[in-house]
Amino acid sequence: MTKLPGPEAPKATPAGAPPLPPANRSRTAHGLTHAAAEGRFALQRCPACARFTYPPRDACPKCLCPALEFVDAPEGGLLVSSTTIHASVDPYFREHLPWRQGLVTADCGPPIIVHLHRDCVEGERVRLSLQLDKAGQPVVFARPATETPNMQDDPAWQEMTADPRSRRILITDGRHPAAPALARALLQAGAASVHVGLPDPDEVFDGGALLRATDNVTPVALDLTDARSVAALAAAIGAEVDILINTADHVRPVHLFERDAPRCLMETMDATVAATAHLAQAFGPTMMARGPAGPNSAVAWVNILSAYALGAHPEFGPVSVAHAACLSLSHWLRAELRPGGIRVLNAFTGPVEGEWYQRVPPPKTSPSQLSRAVVDGLRRGLEDIYIGDIARDIQARLAANPKALERENGQ
């Protein structure tokens, strides 16, 4: 639920950590967290009387039904009143004043106290969204119902998102089939510069010419399987990385009972799980320390993960196993980076068009589709995105029946 910058007593934070918004939520309220992480506006609705309710409760306030469900709700509403807060005892809000808040009557019924975009006007319609604040907790935010000039510049909105505009970005493995498209999409979104890691910056490979021909893209020496190489790059540019996009991958089709399966599995684990751990150790502490650095702050870490991490595909077992481990590692990383206000975005994608998925029938995920989705996820401040038909299908089937997904995947 929305937390106000009111008289709540300040909480102690770890030494050197920036102040974060109030983070206490009930377990029930984390239904909002789930929706906010995926960019949905969902509220509780009573199955007995069909009434939407807010803030989250354990029983319907009208009929006392205890079986409230979180469902997608209409995003519109009317801004009834607003105020600008100029003083607060909360350490986080004290550093971000003035701060606008308002009361919105949602189209679906309940009145909601919201964080307010500076362009919202009393008496006019607004668009509601659930956002994850710097503490990783869900809050309700209201923006104008129609786009306004320089809408992304609102300071409160910037606190809820990780817009790549004016940011310095590292793409960790330029050999990923989506790396050139990612670099172009990020620059088109206003990124200041993009560094792209390559074990050998002079290596000739598909997509290499595109990377080198793109303005403001700089190839840098980075071997993700070598901890010393990762540490050396972090020492050189770590203090300049605002967004890290982890494209570590290693795709080799093999079935479990084939002779090469154990070797392929270990190679894939080394190129993905170990590589992500190297990156976390080398870049994580510096990014976390730069979380509160204002316009020049570090803001996000993106992991490009195979949707097969959520449901194993027999032919791509090493990818399924390694990316499932990377997903668990990303949860660990998110917990470690949260005190610095750094967002971790997991981008689950179906088979990406490229060399190693040639035998996989359509539909596949195009590099441009993946790139647009990552930019959109950063702009909206999301934690989990599903890119392409395969990834969205796996997400839906996993939510509906995990056992069905287990039996049907790869058929």
Side-chain angles (χ1 to χ4, degrees):
M1 68 184 67
T2 301
K3 296 290 287 186
L4 307 181
E8 184 173 306
K11 294 180 174 63
T13 57
L20 298 176
N24 291 335
R25 298 293 189 277
S26 69
R27 177 164 292 184
T28 300
H30 282 303
L32 301 178
T33 310
H34 184 196
E38 297 180 351
R40 298 181 293 110
F41 184 67
L43 299 178
Q44 285 178 310
R45 186 175 64 186
C46 177
C49 66
R51 174 191 177 116
F52 280 95
T53 186
Y54 184 88
R57 295 176 169 89
D58 292 325
C60 175
K62 181 179 181 180
C63 69
L64 300 182
C65 173
L68 298 179
E69 303 170 331
F70 282 93
V71 300
D72 291 349
E75 298 178 356
L78 181 69
L79 179 59
V80 177
S81 63
S82 66
T83 186
T84 300
I85 298 170
H86 294 278
S88 174
V89 298
D90 182 88
Y92 172 82
F93 287 104
R94 193 163 57 231
E95 291 188 4
H96 293 84
L97 297 174
W99 191 276
R100 290 194 75 199
Q101 291 191 316
L103 178 65
V104 170
T105 300
D107 289 348
C108 57
I112 304 175
I113 297 176
V114 301
H115 297 297
L116 203 57
H117 192 282
R118 66 186 178 190
D119 294 339
C120 292
V121 178
E122 283 188 24
E124 294 188 0
R125 291 191 57 76
V126 296
R127 180 157 50 101
L128 299 172
S129 63
L130 284 168
Q131 302 295 143
L132 296 172
D133 64 17
K134 285 283 191 177
Q137 301 296 345
V139 297
V140 184
F141 197 93
R143 288 171 286 163
T146 56
E147 290 288 320
T148 59
N150 303 314
M151 196 166 183
Q152 298 292 327
D153 291 340
D154 177 61
W157 178 248
Q158 290 178 348
E159 285 294 297
M160 306 290 175
T161 62
D163 196 317
R165 186 175 44 167
S166 301
R167 303 292 183 182
R168 298 162 296 184
I169 299 171
L170 171 64
I171 299 173
T172 63
D173 189 351
R175 296 170 302 180
H176 190 285
L182 262 173
R184 292 195 302 273
L186 290 162
L187 290 168
Q188 289 170 2
S193 63
V194 178
H195 288 83
V196 180
L198 294 168
D200 177 2
D202 297 322
E203 177 186 359
V204 177
F205 63 98
D206 290 345
L210 284 173
L211 286 172
R212 296 182 181 93
T214 305
D215 292 339
N216 292 325
V217 171
T218 305
V220 291
L222 178 59
D223 182 352
L224 294 174
T225 63
D226 183 351
R228 288 175 296 182
S229 173
V230 178
L233 183 63
I237 68 168
E240 302 173 6
V241 175
D242 303 324
I243 298 174
L244 186 149
I245 300 182
N246 178 19
T247 52
D249 202 6
H250 184 82
V251 180
R252 299 293 186 273
V254 64
H255 286 275
L256 180 57
F257 300 143
E258 294 180 25
R259 183 186 299 274
D260 284 346
R263 178 181 59 81
C264 287
L265 175 59
M266 296 312 298
E267 288 178 352
T268 306
M269 295 288 285
D270 190 40
T272 55
V273 184
T276 301
H278 295 330
L279 289 166
Q281 286 216 321
F283 286 90
T286 302
M287 291 184 70
M288 187 167 66
R290 293 183 53 243
N296 297 317
S297 64
V299 290
W301 181 300
V302 180
N303 291 312
I304 308 297
L305 299 176
S306 171
Y308 294 148
L310 305 172
H313 190 295
E315 189 175 2
F316 295 98
V319 172
S320 299
V321 172
H323 282 245
C326 285
L327 174 57
S328 182
L329 180 54
S330 77
H331 294 162
W332 185 11
L333 177 64
R334 183 176 287 150
E336 297 282 7
L337 290 178
R338 186 173 297 130
I342 306 297
R343 300 175 186 276
V344 174
L345 167 61
N346 290 327
F348 298 97
T349 178
V352 179
E353 293 175 356
E355 177 183 3
W356 292 105
Y357 286 116
Q358 287 182 357
R359 294 190 302 177
V360 176
K364 298 180 189 176
T365 303
S366 70
S368 60
Q369 184 182 13
L370 187 154
S371 303
R372 290 192 301 269
V374 168
V375 170
D376 180 67
L378 289 168
R379 283 176 165 167
R380 296 168 64 194
L382 307 185
E383 280 191 353
D384 299 296
I385 58 176
Y386 301 85
I387 309 168
D389 293 338
I390 297 296
R392 288 192 291 270
D393 178 64
I394 288 176
Q395 176 200 16
R397 289 194 290 152
L398 182 64
N401 188 334
K403 277 297 176 184
L405 174 62
E406 177 190 330
R407 296 298 193 270
E408 296 167 1
N409 215 21
Q411 291 184 0

